[in-house]
Amino acid sequence: MATIVAQPLGPSLVPPRSGDAPGLLARAIQAEREGQRSVARQLYEQVLWAAPATLTPYQCSAALVGAARTYQADGETEAALDCLEAAQVVAEVSGAYGALGAALNARAVLAWQRGDLDEAEHLYVAAQRCAENDSDRRLVGMIAQNRGIIA
């Protein structure tokens, strides 16, 4: 009786883990500022596959939040929410309060844009607490400004 050995059908679909996370993240942010959302999204996704030695939980969460912004700008709210949920989990698991605050702030913006002001307020309060715990004055200010919009 012959033995059948499973052979891979083709090359792995998983990209190699390489690249410099901070550099990729900076390029993604620049592309997003220049209105190149699809390029920015690709770069944000590349950050997630960067060389592990260069990738921190803050950068991972920031890349997911950035990708979420590009999806939201393209009207793909569910994809944006998926990215923000992943960013929140990364931040929570790693204890990265500033990253958690940024993810919650972005979720609050989506809630506000969808007309769910009570949920937005709840998320802004949680985001502000995280930003204050991380002593991130810039994020505290951004959240306060966003909360002022719905007040």
Side-chain angles (χ1 to χ4, degrees):
M1 180 181 250
T3 303
I4 299 175
V5 178
Q7 297 293 322
L9 295 176
S12 171
L13 297 177
V14 177
R17 293 191 60 110
S18 64
D20 175 55
L24 289 167
L25 190 56
R27 288 177 45 209
I29 292 167
Q30 185 62 38
E32 186 179 1
R33 287 181 180 155
E34 293 172 356
Q36 300 173 3
R37 286 192 304 274
S38 64
V39 171
R41 186 177 310 132
Q42 289 174 347
L43 289 165
Y44 284 130
E45 290 171 359
Q46 286 179 25
V47 170
L48 303 175
W49 291 99
T54 70
L55 184 61
T56 68
Y58 281 92
Q59 292 161 336
C60 182
S61 186
L64 288 162
V65 170
R69 282 192 308 266
T70 67
Y71 280 119
Q72 179 61 18
D74 286 342
E76 298 181 46
T77 303
E78 290 307 314
L81 288 170
D82 289 344
C83 288
L84 293 174
E85 182 179 327
Q88 185 174 343
V89 169
V90 167
E92 287 174 342
V93 167
S94 64
Y97 292 111
L100 179 56
L104 292 171
N105 181 53
R107 281 188 56 205
V109 169
L110 281 178
W112 165 69
Q113 289 175 340
R114 295 172 85 183
D116 191 348
L117 301 184
D118 291 336
E119 177 67 7
E121 176 67 17
H122 170 76
L123 290 166
Y124 282 135
V125 168
Q128 187 134 23
R129 225 175 294 126
C130 291
E132 289 168 352
N133 285 340
D134 199 51
S135 301
D136 188 337
R137 293 188 319 214
R138 181 174 179 261
L139 183 57
V140 168
M142 287 172 39
I143 295 165
Q145 182 178 12
N146 289 344
R147 282 184 75 192
I149 291 171
I150 64 169

